[in-house]
Amino acid sequence: MPVEITWWGHATCTVEDSHTRVLTDPLFVRRLAHLRRRRGALPPPDARYADVALVSHLHADHLHLASLARLAPGTRLLVPRGAPRAVPGLRRLSHLRLSEVAPGDVTEVGRVMVRAVPARHDGRRLPLGRHRSPALGYVVEGEARTYFAGDTGLFDTMAKEVGPVDVALLPVGGWGPYLGDGHLDARRAAEALARLGAPSAVPVHYGTYWPIGMDAVRPHEFHAPGDEFVRLAAEHAPAASVHRLRHGESVRLEVAR
């Protein structure tokens, strides 16, 4: 059975594997604070249905309470350990089955296993964020092993911590004209793909949200990262197939084991 991946925009994807639906970092709004969705329609209502939703870290564009509130009752929700203390609004989502996880934790959902892995990123709830939670990535293992990186920079033990994977969902940009430490741009994402040795990759976390009033500030940082990643991945990881999806587009991948 193939794995099917749909990119809804930003870091929000649906991964369907072994009749199990996994939703990553749900974000279902046109505007978030100073950010406006500039490309791609909002995910349709059926995107809110999943067996499990994964939250990679506490930043509001990844842990978005109003979007989580729209998930179907009974959805399993995995969040970084300490998240309910840092974001008390999580406790009001009583219709969800919430679990806190840390790197190394494995959760069985349907016919897949979800393993939390480290990420190199500031995991605080900004702008105050007194309580810290680890930023995470996740490996979803069913018929395929799919790595959702969340937000991360390169780190020396990435390949060891993540392990062998068939598909890598890698952030290649951001939501503003400058990327700080703890992020992947197109070049660093291509290097990450080479380190991981994944035969397939899907670029995410680019070309969706942009600060209001900054359309003319470094617009190539909004438009270019997907194509740049395709080009650079061909140099750094020539054996890998890169699937640059449009918003709402899906790819079905056959996995050979």
Side-chain angles (χ1 to χ4, degrees):
M1 176 181 176
V3 59
E4 181 169 297
I5 296 162
T6 304
W7 181 50
W8 301 114
H10 203 53
T12 306
C13 301
T14 296
V15 178
E16 296 189 58
D17 190 332
S18 305
H19 304 287
T20 304
R21 286 172 60 94
V22 180
L23 181 64
T24 66
D25 286 350
L27 189 58
F28 300 145
V29 292
R30 293 194 179 279
R31 180 171 174 176
L32 173 63
H34 64 298
L35 304 180
R36 184 182 72 237
R37 188 175 181 115
R38 291 190 56 205
R39 182 180 289 171
L42 287 176
D46 62 1
R48 305 170 192 173
Y49 289 88
D51 296 287
V52 62
L54 312 179
V55 170
S56 62
H57 62 287
L58 307 191
H59 293 173
D61 57 323
H62 294 260
L63 193 168
H64 186 251
L65 289 171
S67 295
L68 295 176
R70 299 178 188 178
L71 299 180
T75 304
R76 192 78 178 268
L77 176 63
L78 304 187
V79 301
R81 185 167 295 169
R85 182 179 64 166
V87 188
L90 281 170
R91 300 170 186 162
R92 295 193 290 271
L93 301 177
S94 57
H95 68 300
L96 305 178
R97 296 187 295 140
L98 186 147
S99 298
E100 300 177 50
V101 295
D105 289 347
V106 177
T107 306
E108 183 176 0
V109 182
R111 299 183 185 179
V112 305
M113 306 296 290
V114 180
R115 177 167 53 92
V117 299
R120 183 175 178 266
H121 191 68
D122 185 347
R124 292 178 299 164
R125 184 69 163 182
L126 300 175
L128 300 177
R130 290 178 56 193
H131 302 295
R132 296 185 65 86
S133 291
L136 302 174
Y138 294 92
V139 176
V140 177
E141 183 162 1
E143 292 293 322
R145 292 166 298 205
T146 302
Y147 170 48
F148 168 61
D151 241 350
T152 187
L154 283 170
F155 53 99
D156 291 340
T157 60
M158 175 180 276
K160 178 181 177 181
E161 298 283 1
V162 172
V165 292
D166 302 298
V167 188
L169 311 182
L170 296 173
V172 301
W175 51 253
Y178 302 100
L179 282 174
D181 189 42
H183 292 86
L184 296 179
D185 59 9
R187 181 172 296 279
R188 292 191 290 268
E191 185 175 337
L193 180 59
R195 293 187 187 187
L196 294 167
S200 296
V202 175
V204 301
H205 204 282
Y206 77 100
T208 308
Y209 291 91
W210 202 248
I212 294 169
M214 296 187 69
D215 291 7
V217 180
R218 296 175 63 85
H220 62 284
E221 297 291 353
F222 178 84
H223 295 284
D227 289 334
E228 277 291 286
F229 177 68
V230 172
R231 181 180 68 82
L232 293 166
E235 297 177 7
H236 289 266
S241 297
V242 177
H243 304 273
R244 191 182 72 79
L245 303 178
R246 296 184 296 272
H247 293 78
E249 188 175 17
S250 302
V251 61
R252 292 170 64 88
L253 300 173
E254 296 285 349
V255 176
R257 290 287 183 90

